PDB file of all heavy atoms in Angstrom:
ATOM      1  N   ALA A  94      47.198 -23.918  55.035  1.00 94.00           N
ATOM      2  CA  ALA A  94      46.776 -22.759  55.884  1.00 94.00           C
ATOM      3  C   ALA A  94      47.144 -21.521  55.398  1.00 94.00           C
ATOM      4  O   ALA A  94      46.357 -20.435  55.361  1.00 94.00           O
ATOM      5  CB  ALA A  94      47.422 -22.919  57.221  1.00 94.00           C
ATOM      6  N   ALA A  95      48.250 -21.386  54.534  1.00 93.00           N
ATOM      7  CA  ALA A  95      48.763 -20.144  53.971  1.00 93.00           C
ATOM      8  C   ALA A  95      47.725 -19.683  52.810  1.00 93.00           C
ATOM      9  O   ALA A  95      47.440 -18.619  52.683  1.00 93.00           O
ATOM     10  CB  ALA A  95      50.090 -20.313  53.534  1.00 93.00           C
ATOM     11  N   CYS A  96      47.302 -20.720  52.070  1.00 94.00           N
ATOM     12  CA  CYS A  96      46.342 -20.508  50.964  1.00 94.00           C
ATOM     13  C   CYS A  96      45.001 -19.886  51.551  1.00 94.00           C
ATOM     14  O   CYS A  96      44.479 -18.897  51.165  1.00 94.00           O
ATOM     15  CB  CYS A  96      46.047 -21.766  50.254  1.00 94.00           C
ATOM     16  SG  CYS A  96      45.001 -21.585  48.854  1.00 94.00           S
ATOM     17  N   LEU A  97      44.559 -20.580  52.637  1.00 95.00           N
ATOM     18  CA  LEU A  97      43.231 -20.087  53.251  1.00 95.00           C
ATOM     19  C   LEU A  97      43.434 -18.740  53.792  1.00 95.00           C
ATOM     20  O   LEU A  97      42.515 -17.926  53.804  1.00 95.00           O
ATOM     21  CB  LEU A  97      42.792 -21.122  54.314  1.00 95.00           C
ATOM     22  CG  LEU A  97      42.411 -22.496  53.677  1.00 95.00           C
ATOM     23  CD1 LEU A  97      42.094 -23.468  54.837  1.00 95.00           C
ATOM     24  CD2 LEU A  97      41.157 -22.307  52.817  1.00 95.00           C
ATOM     25  N   TYR A  98      44.552 -18.442  54.454  1.00 94.00           N
ATOM     26  CA  TYR A  98      44.932 -17.269  55.079  1.00 94.00           C
ATOM     27  C   TYR A  98      44.906 -16.168  54.026  1.00 94.00           C
ATOM     28  O   TYR A  98      44.351 -15.107  54.262  1.00 94.00           O
ATOM     29  CB  TYR A  98      46.125 -17.225  55.839  1.00 94.00           C
ATOM     30  CG  TYR A  98      46.561 -15.981  56.477  1.00 94.00           C
ATOM     31  CD1 TYR A  98      45.912 -15.461  57.483  1.00 94.00           C
ATOM     32  CD2 TYR A  98      47.692 -15.369  56.060  1.00 94.00           C
ATOM     33  CE1 TYR A  98      46.305 -14.266  58.154  1.00 94.00           C
ATOM     34  CE2 TYR A  98      48.168 -14.062  56.624  1.00 94.00           C
ATOM     35  CZ  TYR A  98      47.408 -13.649  57.656  1.00 94.00           C
ATOM     36  OH  TYR A  98      47.767 -12.437  58.306  1.00 94.00           O
ATOM     37  N   PHE A  99      45.499 -16.353  52.934  1.00 93.00           N
ATOM     38  CA  PHE A  99      45.606 -15.433  51.882  1.00 93.00           C
ATOM     39  C   PHE A  99      44.284 -15.050  51.366  1.00 93.00           C
ATOM     40  O   PHE A  99      43.831 -13.955  51.216  1.00 93.00           O
ATOM     41  CB  PHE A  99      46.494 -15.916  50.668  1.00 93.00           C
ATOM     42  CG  PHE A  99      46.414 -14.865  49.487  1.00 93.00           C
ATOM     43  CD1 PHE A  99      47.181 -13.706  49.533  1.00 93.00           C
ATOM     44  CD2 PHE A  99      45.641 -15.296  48.352  1.00 93.00           C
ATOM     45  CE1 PHE A  99      47.116 -12.969  48.524  1.00 93.00           C
ATOM     46  CE2 PHE A  99      45.534 -14.417  47.279  1.00 93.00           C
ATOM     47  CZ  PHE A  99      46.331 -13.258  47.330  1.00 93.00           C
ATOM     48  N   VAL A 100      43.332 -16.174  51.098  1.00 94.00           N
ATOM     49  CA  VAL A 100      42.051 -15.848  50.610  1.00 94.00           C
ATOM     50  C   VAL A 100      41.243 -14.945  51.572  1.00 94.00           C
ATOM     51  O   VAL A 100      40.579 -14.006  51.183  1.00 94.00           O
ATOM     52  CB  VAL A 100      41.329 -17.215  50.170  1.00 94.00           C
ATOM     53  CG1 VAL A 100      39.874 -17.001  49.935  1.00 94.00           C
ATOM     54  CG2 VAL A 100      41.987 -17.760  49.095  1.00 94.00           C
ATOM     55  N   ALA A 101      41.337 -15.328  52.834  1.00 93.00           N
ATOM     56  CA  ALA A 101      40.551 -14.655  53.863  1.00 93.00           C
ATOM     57  C   ALA A 101      41.035 -13.204  54.005  1.00 93.00           C
ATOM     58  O   ALA A 101      40.253 -12.281  54.113  1.00 93.00           O
ATOM     59  CB  ALA A 101      40.692 -15.376  55.245  1.00 93.00           C
ATOM     60  N   GLU A 102      42.365 -12.976  54.091  1.00 91.00           N
ATOM     61  CA  GLU A 102      42.816 -11.617  54.088  1.00 91.00           C
ATOM     62  C   GLU A 102      42.566 -10.854  52.884  1.00 91.00           C
ATOM     63  O   GLU A 102      42.173  -9.609  52.960  1.00 91.00           O
ATOM     64  CB  GLU A 102      44.309 -11.623  54.421  1.00 91.00           C
ATOM     65  CG  GLU A 102      44.749 -11.983  55.784  1.00 91.00           C
ATOM     66  CD  GLU A 102      44.294 -10.975  56.838  1.00 91.00           C
ATOM     67  OE1 GLU A 102      44.606  -9.822  56.585  1.00 91.00           O
ATOM     68  OE2 GLU A 102      43.752 -11.289  57.758  1.00 91.00           O
ATOM     69  N   ARG A 103      42.654 -11.414  51.741  1.00 91.00           N
ATOM     70  CA  ARG A 103      42.344 -10.619  50.516  1.00 91.00           C
ATOM     71  C   ARG A 103      40.895 -10.290  50.547  1.00 91.00           C
ATOM     72  O   ARG A 103      40.514  -9.157  50.097  1.00 91.00           O
ATOM     73  CB  ARG A 103      42.811 -11.439  49.282  1.00 91.00           C
ATOM     74  CG  ARG A 103      42.671 -10.720  48.090  1.00 91.00           C
ATOM     75  CD  ARG A 103      43.650  -9.489  48.080  1.00 91.00           C
ATOM     76  NE  ARG A 103      43.332  -8.670  46.825  1.00 91.00           N
ATOM     77  CZ  ARG A 103      43.458  -7.369  46.807  1.00 91.00           C
ATOM     78  NH1 ARG A 103      43.839  -6.722  47.935  1.00 91.00           N
ATOM     79  NH2 ARG A 103      43.204  -6.706  45.766  1.00 91.00           N
ATOM     80  N   ARG A 104      40.004 -11.273  50.692  1.00 90.00           N
ATOM     81  CA  ARG A 104      38.567 -10.945  50.667  1.00 90.00           C
ATOM     82  C   ARG A 104      38.197  -9.838  51.793  1.00 90.00           C
ATOM     83  O   ARG A 104      37.438  -8.889  51.389  1.00 90.00           O
ATOM     84  CB  ARG A 104      37.757 -12.160  51.020  1.00 90.00           C
ATOM     85  CG  ARG A 104      37.766 -13.116  49.856  1.00 90.00           C
ATOM     86  CD  ARG A 104      36.903 -14.291  50.132  1.00 90.00           C
ATOM     87  NE  ARG A 104      35.614 -13.874  50.234  1.00 90.00           N
ATOM     88  CZ  ARG A 104      34.641 -13.991  49.299  1.00 90.00           C
ATOM     89  NH1 ARG A 104      34.895 -14.626  48.176  1.00 90.00           N
ATOM     90  NH2 ARG A 104      33.393 -13.698  49.507  1.00 90.00           N
ATOM     91  N   ARG A 105      38.861  -9.787  52.908  1.00 89.00           N
ATOM     92  CA  ARG A 105      38.612  -8.801  53.925  1.00 89.00           C
ATOM     93  C   ARG A 105      39.219  -7.433  53.286  1.00 89.00           C
ATOM     94  O   ARG A 105      38.513  -6.400  53.638  1.00 89.00           O
ATOM     95  CB  ARG A 105      39.365  -9.091  55.215  1.00 89.00           C
ATOM     96  CG  ARG A 105      39.043  -8.251  56.296  1.00 89.00           C
ATOM     97  CD  ARG A 105      39.759  -8.600  57.651  1.00 89.00           C
ATOM     98  NE  ARG A 105      39.313  -9.901  58.085  1.00 89.00           N
ATOM     99  CZ  ARG A 105      40.217 -10.814  58.573  1.00 89.00           C
ATOM    100  NH1 ARG A 105      41.534 -10.574  58.696  1.00 89.00           N
ATOM    101  NH2 ARG A 105      39.824 -11.994  58.901  1.00 89.00           N
ATOM    102  N   ALA A 106      40.301  -7.330  52.715  1.00 87.00           N
ATOM    103  CA  ALA A 106      40.857  -6.277  52.196  1.00 87.00           C
ATOM    104  C   ALA A 106      39.975  -5.682  51.036  1.00 87.00           C
ATOM    105  O   ALA A 106      39.846  -4.422  50.977  1.00 87.00           O
ATOM    106  CB  ALA A 106      42.292  -6.300  51.637  1.00 87.00           C
ATOM    107  N   VAL A 107      39.500  -6.542  50.272  1.00 86.00           N
ATOM    108  CA  VAL A 107      38.669  -6.037  49.048  1.00 86.00           C
ATOM    109  C   VAL A 107      37.251  -5.510  49.530  1.00 86.00           C
ATOM    110  O   VAL A 107      36.832  -4.581  49.037  1.00 86.00           O
ATOM    111  CB  VAL A 107      38.350  -7.219  48.124  1.00 86.00           C
ATOM    112  CG1 VAL A 107      37.267  -6.900  47.068  1.00 86.00           C
ATOM    113  CG2 VAL A 107      39.686  -7.545  47.400  1.00 86.00           C
ATOM    114  N   THR A 108      36.725  -6.173  50.623  1.00 85.00           N
ATOM    115  CA  THR A 108      35.302  -5.739  51.092  1.00 85.00           C
ATOM    116  C   THR A 108      35.347  -4.670  52.137  1.00 85.00           C
ATOM    117  O   THR A 108      34.281  -4.076  52.305  1.00 85.00           O
ATOM    118  CB  THR A 108      34.586  -6.911  51.677  1.00 85.00           C
ATOM    119  OG1 THR A 108      35.422  -7.531  52.746  1.00 85.00           O
ATOM    120  CG2 THR A 108      34.382  -8.069  50.670  1.00 85.00           C
ATOM    121  N   SER A 109      36.426  -4.327  52.710  1.00 78.00           N
ATOM    122  CA  SER A 109      36.508  -3.299  53.705  1.00 78.00           C
ATOM    123  C   SER A 109      36.608  -1.961  53.005  1.00 78.00           C
ATOM    124  O   SER A 109      37.131  -1.818  51.904  1.00 78.00           O
ATOM    125  CB  SER A 109      37.830  -3.392  54.569  1.00 78.00           C
ATOM    126  OG  SER A 109      38.905  -3.124  53.808  1.00 78.00           O
TER     127      SER A 109
END
Side-chain angles (χ1 to χ4, degrees):
C96 185
L97 294 173
Y98 178 66
F99 173 77
V100 170
E102 282 294 311
R103 185 64 188 145
R104 288 184 62 106
R105 185 178 304 137
V107 167
T108 59
S109 67

